[in-house]
Amino acid sequence: MNGRLMQELEELGGEIRPASLKKCDEIIIDQPGFSAIIALWGGHLESFVPAGQEDLLFQSTNQGGEGRFARRHFGVPVCWPWFGAHDMQSDYPAHGLARYFRWEFIEAGHFKNGDVKVVIRLASEDHPLIEEMWPFAFELRQVFRFSSKGFRVNFSAANLSDQPMPISEALHTYFNVSDNQTAEVHGLDQVSYVDKFDNGSRQLQQGVVTPCGPIDRVYLSAPDVCEIQDPGFQRKLIIQTEGSNSTVLWNPGADIAKQRTDMEDGDYRCFVCVEAANALSNAYEIAPGEIHQLKLKVKYKPLFDE
């Protein structure tokens, strides 16, 4: 890593630290108004803690196994270029390739308004295994934007091949909640969804989503704003998306959590996944030479505004 980039990071109150996750480095940002951690393995935004608040993101203490395609449940995993199981290859990892390779740290600085900027990159040409598993050349970038009010992720995918590239995707965000049984997801009333815990049946959301688990739903043609209301943490998380036509809600519940080896038994009580996605009938293609952007903006407010 070059000296100029390290200097830019240090000027942000940041540093690079070795981490246990696949023995890959993490970017640590420590500012008066917030702290943030980005894991270069998988390009995960791992943690975002505003001053005086609990972390907005959940991290399981379970390390998820040693294999390349072992998963760990934390932060904002990037599920790309497929969401869920691969359509044709049953032995391919769930949720694509982007979360299983090391990303490159390429830029640090400030936006014009003073927000902190960090940019990371994943290119297929840098990873022979990706080229073996996926026939389309690509370059991915994540631009992270941090302030004391919250964070943003701008995920872009460029198709560098000469063929249309089929995509289903998600920013699989694990939001930290005080208790999934009392947390509520607002903003999806009257939206149609596919219920994966009910054999893929089509349902219509009626009112607020609570309790948040067990649940595995893909809301199709979903609105671009929803929020988590958390009475235990006395806050609401406002989630805004762009370039996303699906919203996925996921929490395994007690029984499935106990069966999983990559999750602690009680983890399910501490998170709800609200995912900016393009899944199922909202999958799409990126034309040759084109770029698609998927954007996530998260801010927090007191549950009851004064």
Side-chain angles (χ1 to χ4, degrees):
M1 192 172 298
N2 66 57
R4 178 191 58 80
L5 192 55
M6 290 303 300
Q7 182 179 353
E8 291 173 348
L9 182 60
E10 289 172 3
E11 290 172 356
L12 299 178
E15 62 179 313
I16 300 288
R17 294 181 188 170
S20 59
L21 182 62
K22 309 300 181 183
K23 299 180 180 178
C24 197
D25 297 337
E26 293 176 334
I27 300 171
I28 313 293
I29 307 289
D30 193 2
Q31 293 261 322
F34 69 87
S35 64
I37 302 174
I38 300 167
L40 290 178
W41 182 264
H44 294 65
L45 173 58
E46 181 175 347
S47 171
F48 182 84
V49 185
Q53 285 286 314
E54 297 290 335
D55 204 322
L56 302 194
L57 300 172
F58 167 79
Q59 306 89 30
S60 176
T61 57
N62 189 307
Q63 296 298 306
E66 295 299 322
R68 168 176 283 280
F69 299 125
R71 281 177 286 170
R72 186 181 170 199
H73 300 276
F74 72 122
V76 188
V78 177
C79 301
W80 191 96
W82 62 84
F83 177 77
H86 192 281
D87 288 340
M88 308 270 303
Q89 302 288 346
S90 61
D91 58 337
Y92 276 22
H95 294 319
L97 298 172
R99 68 189 292 180
Y100 301 112
F101 290 84
R102 181 190 177 101
W103 291 56
E104 178 188 5
F105 171 40
I106 61 172
E107 185 181 347
H110 289 97
F111 290 91
K112 290 182 178 180
N113 70 344
D115 289 356
V116 169
K117 178 182 183 180
V118 176
V119 184
I120 61 175
R121 167 186 178 272
L122 179 71
S124 56
E125 66 179 6
D126 295 335
H127 299 277
L129 182 56
I130 289 179
E131 294 183 317
E132 290 180 19
M133 299 178 70
W134 186 247
F136 306 93
F138 65 79
E139 179 176 302
L140 310 181
R141 293 196 179 205
Q142 289 189 81
V143 180
F144 299 103
R145 183 170 186 156
F146 303 123
S147 74
S148 60
K149 298 178 181 179
F151 67 85
R152 303 185 192 190
V153 181
N154 184 346
F155 169 72
S156 63
N159 181 1
L160 305 182
S161 75
D162 60 1
Q163 298 292 323
M165 183 164 62
I167 298 296
S168 60
E169 63 188 342
L171 297 176
H172 195 319
T173 310
Y174 289 77
F175 286 103
N176 183 30
V177 297
S178 59
D179 187 344
N180 78 314
Q181 297 300 296
T182 58
E184 300 177 345
V185 178
H186 292 244
L188 296 170
D189 185 32
Q190 299 303 306
V191 178
S192 176
Y193 65 87
V194 175
D195 192 337
K196 292 190 174 183
F197 281 164
D198 189 25
N199 298 313
S201 64
R202 290 289 290 261
Q203 307 283 344
L204 187 68
Q205 181 62 43
Q206 302 287 340
V208 172
V209 181
T210 191
C212 296
I215 191 169
D216 190 358
R217 300 176 182 172
V218 180
Y219 290 81
L220 300 169
S221 302
D224 58 8
V225 179
C226 63
E227 66 179 51
I228 299 171
Q229 295 192 5
D230 188 339
F233 287 156
Q234 286 290 291
R235 70 185 182 192
K236 52 187 174 183
L237 303 180
I238 302 163
I239 304 158
Q240 184 173 350
T241 65
E242 185 178 331
S244 163
N245 289 312
S246 313
T247 294
V248 177
L249 299 190
W250 183 73
N251 180 291
D255 292 341
I256 293 177
K258 289 177 181 179
Q259 296 169 19
R260 299 185 69 117
T261 60
D262 59 1
M263 180 179 291
E264 300 302 316
D265 289 354
D267 279 353
Y268 77 97
R269 293 295 295 269
C270 303
F271 74 84
V272 56
C273 289
V274 181
E275 310 172 32
N278 289 294
L280 302 180
S281 61
N282 291 142
Y284 65 98
E285 290 184 341
I286 304 176
E290 295 297 312
I291 297 174
H292 182 267
Q293 294 188 339
L294 177 59
K295 299 180 181 181
L296 170 67
K297 178 181 179 182
V298 178
K299 59 182 178 180
Y300 76 93
K301 289 184 176 181
L303 185 56
F304 303 105
D305 293 327
E306 297 180 356

